[in-house]
Amino acid sequence: MPPECHPIADRPQEQEKDQVRISELSRRSGVPNATIKFYLREGLVPPGRATSATQAEYDEGHLRRLRLVRALISVRGLSVSAAKEVVGSLGEVEGDTYELLGLVFGVWPGADGNGPAGSGGGEGRGGGEDHDEGEDADVDALVAELGWDVTEFSPARKTVTQTLNTLRNLGLDCGWRDLVPYARLAERTATLDLDQIEGPDDPLEKAERAVLLTFLLEPALLALRRLAQESEAAARYRDQGLP
Amino acid sequence: MPPECHPIADRPQEQEKDQVRISELSRRSGVPNATIKFYLREGLVPPGRATSATQAEYDEGHLRRLRLVRALISVRGLSVSAAKEVVGSLGEVEGDTYELLGLVFGVWPGADGNGPAGSGGGEGRGGGEDHDEGEDADVDALVAELGWDVTEFSPARKTVTQTLNTLRNLGLDCGWRDLVPYARLAERTATLDLDQIEGPDDPLEKAERAVLLTFLLEPALLALRRLAQESEAAARYRDQGLP
């Protein structure tokens, strides 16, 4: 079994108190007081249980929701309104991890705030209004070769198409077949990623972890490739040119 | 054997003429006339063979040098002066592919224009002035576990350290051990990368291809991971939450 990143909040002392003030919510999430109040005003985090005219208490559900909102805005880089749309659609997909992950990753149209509002799940998929026929022919061929089960909405498709076009424009005759061995390794990376989010049962925690690990690991994965290239180059070529 | 991106310039009709004018150099490289003239003035590309007071002819060596300069500036994002330093050091390392790759990837200090000038190869390595003791302890442990043969200069080290720190600050208790399985896949990715540059014998062409494939493939590799995640999520979770 691969190692796994555990949420620090799993430590028992963190769960002693069920209902907490906003300052404690801030301490436990690392999100500043003022930011929490902003999220509350914007409806990104539901209101707490009022204990007086000016005070309220919050529970574990608020903490998890707050952490997911922070991940969507600070890490995934969504706008406040796009993040609001995503968390607003959570209820519709809560029991379905596949739909939940598609929502937080922006696979479905609308989840990025670009497409039709509120189309977080359900019938919207399969329409393909945004899919430019022909333009993604390389990616369609690649996906078919790999046997991947992906929708036609993912922005990742366009990235692959653009990369192949750029390489060709710069004089390297690269086609989708050149990407197949890389894609097989990406499959194994994705398996590791999904293993990391198997842990938590709570869907909000699963979603938060998926966003954090997917987006934050990106620079590290590229850095590991650079280091591995250096090591592989040393094995193949070092001292080759010396007398 | 994995498929390989072939340089389009390998097509025989491209090599009919040995000595060409600047306009033909532009056509064959895709670099605009004015940009080539700028590179010539800045000494990034050596002067051609003068055929009159105002005209000169260029050969395959100029074309390869021009393509590498373009890759360093437009793709790797180096400044003109940093690119000049890199191509200026090429002569010192030309016979040694390991040194050449370290130079174009910016593994050695100086190659990014940040460190001491002209320290493209040789004695500069091993000094470690820029290496913050302790700060990279996670990366040192990771590299030791993997048995990787890497210098202490690569900027990729800091990226890994920063990612682990960010994940911890956001409440996920990730350590370098969590990265080991990802690093093993990065090793295999790097093997594919180095296979792609085995082709050309010319060191400038090798260097150009290394820069193009390393930097341009980055967004595509991340996009393949996203698509693979979607497919893996479909396999694990789809319809799980439906009645």
Side-chain angles (χ1 to χ4, degrees):
Chain A
M1 209 191 118
E4 200 176 280
C5 297
H6 297 283
I8 293 172
D10 277 349
R11 290 179 301 193
Q13 68 271 27
E14 294 279 352
Q15 295 178 345
E16 277 167 16
K17 213 173 163 204
D18 281 355
Q19 298 283 325
V20 300
R21 296 276 168 79
I22 203 166
S23 55
E24 177 67 6
L25 202 59
S26 169
R27 194 190 66 76
R28 285 171 65 178
S29 64
V31 180
N33 259 350
T35 307
I36 299 177
K37 286 178 182 164
F38 173 71
Y39 290 165
L40 285 164
R41 277 200 305 277
E42 293 289 325
L44 286 157
V45 174
R49 193 177 62 88
T51 53
S52 78
T54 56
Q55 293 209 312
E57 284 187 335
Y58 303 88
D59 60 22
E60 284 297 317
H62 289 95
L63 181 63
R64 283 193 286 264
R65 174 82 161 237
L66 177 60
R67 283 191 167 146
L68 175 59
V69 167
R70 186 248 318 261
L72 291 171
I73 292 176
S74 304
V75 175
R76 217 196 115 191
L78 289 192
S79 67
V80 167
S81 65
K84 190 172 176 175
E85 196 170 343
V86 169
V87 296
S89 304
L90 284 177
E92 300 167 25
V93 303
E94 205 160 334
D96 189 326
T97 306
Y98 173 66
E99 298 270 345
L100 180 76
L101 293 179
L103 190 62
V104 296
F105 286 152
V107 171
W108 312 146
D112 257 312
N114 302 319
S119 55
E123 313 77 41
R125 286 150 45 214
E129 300 84 356
D130 285 354
H131 188 57
D132 233 329
E133 278 308 323
E135 205 184 44
D136 284 352
D138 276 336
V139 182
D140 289 339
L142 178 63
V143 163
E145 168 78 18
L146 295 163
W148 283 358
D149 185 358
V150 294
T151 65
E152 51 195 318
F153 298 110
S154 173
R157 286 173 169 269
K158 205 158 288 295
T159 306
V160 174
T161 303
Q162 284 166 348
T163 299
L164 289 173
N165 289 342
T166 304
L167 284 167
R168 282 189 208 110
N169 290 340
L170 290 173
L172 281 182
D173 192 15
C174 287
W176 62 266
R177 286 185 190 281
D178 298 302
L179 294 181
V180 171
Y182 287 103
R184 291 291 175 208
L185 295 173
E187 265 174 10
R188 298 184 52 183
T189 303
T191 301
L192 291 175
D193 292 331
L194 278 269
D195 287 347
Q196 301 273 345
I197 65 158
E198 285 283 352
D201 285 332
D202 181 83
L204 292 192
E205 204 177 322
K206 225 185 236 302
E208 183 215 357
R209 199 188 279 208
V211 172
L212 293 185
L213 289 174
T214 296
F215 290 81
L216 290 179
L217 278 187
E218 288 188 344
L221 296 181
L222 296 179
L224 289 173
R225 175 180 177 228
R226 298 280 184 88
L227 291 169
Q229 283 178 336
E230 189 189 339
S231 182
E232 177 71 15
R236 291 193 193 196
Y237 300 118
R238 186 155 56 195
D239 303 332
Q240 195 187 59
L242 298 184
Chain B
M1 210 192 117
E4 199 177 281
C5 298
H6 297 284
I8 293 171
D10 277 348
R11 291 179 300 193
Q13 68 271 25
E14 295 278 354
Q15 296 177 346
E16 276 165 18
K17 215 176 163 201
D18 280 355
Q19 298 282 326
V20 299
R21 296 277 170 79
I22 204 165
S23 55
E24 177 67 7
L25 202 58
S26 169
R27 194 191 65 75
R28 285 172 62 180
S29 64
V31 179
N33 260 349
T35 306
I36 299 178
K37 287 177 182 163
F38 172 71
Y39 290 165
L40 285 163
R41 277 200 305 278
E42 292 289 325
L44 286 157
V45 175
R49 193 176 62 89
T51 53
S52 79
T54 56
Q55 293 209 310
E57 285 187 336
Y58 303 88
D59 59 20
E60 283 297 318
H62 288 96
L63 181 63
R64 284 193 285 265
R65 174 81 160 239
L66 177 60
R67 284 191 167 146
L68 175 59
V69 167
R70 186 248 319 261
L72 290 171
I73 292 176
S74 304
V75 175
R76 218 197 115 191
L78 289 191
S79 68
V80 167
S81 65
K84 190 172 177 176
E85 195 171 345
V86 169
V87 295
S89 304
L90 283 177
E92 301 168 24
V93 303
E94 207 160 332
D96 189 326
T97 306
Y98 173 65
E99 297 271 345
L100 180 75
L101 293 180
L103 191 60
V104 297
F105 286 152
V107 171
W108 312 147
D112 258 313
N114 302 319
S119 54
E123 314 76 42
R125 285 149 46 213
E129 300 86 355
D130 285 355
H131 188 56
D132 233 328
E133 280 307 324
E135 205 183 45
D136 284 352
D138 276 337
V139 182
D140 289 339
L142 177 64
V143 163
E145 168 79 17
L146 296 162
W148 282 359
D149 185 359
V150 294
T151 65
E152 52 195 318
F153 297 110
S154 173
R157 287 173 170 268
K158 206 160 287 295
T159 306
V160 174
T161 303
Q162 283 165 348
T163 299
L164 289 174
N165 289 342
T166 305
L167 284 167
R168 283 190 207 109
N169 289 339
L170 289 173
L172 280 182
D173 192 15
C174 287
W176 62 267
R177 285 184 191 282
D178 298 303
L179 294 181
V180 171
Y182 287 103
R184 291 292 176 208
L185 295 173
E187 265 175 10
R188 298 183 53 183
T189 303
T191 301
L192 292 175
D193 292 330
L194 278 270
D195 287 347
Q196 301 273 345
I197 65 159
E198 285 283 353
D201 285 332
D202 181 82
L204 292 192
E205 205 178 321
K206 224 186 239 297
E208 184 215 355
R209 199 188 279 207
V211 172
L212 293 185
L213 289 174
T214 296
F215 290 82
L216 290 179
L217 279 187
E218 288 188 344
L221 296 181
L222 297 180
L224 290 174
R225 176 181 175 226
R226 298 279 184 90
L227 290 169
Q229 284 178 336
E230 189 189 338
S231 183
E232 177 72 15
R236 291 194 193 195
Y237 301 119
R238 186 153 57 195
D239 302 332
Q240 197 188 56
L242 298 185

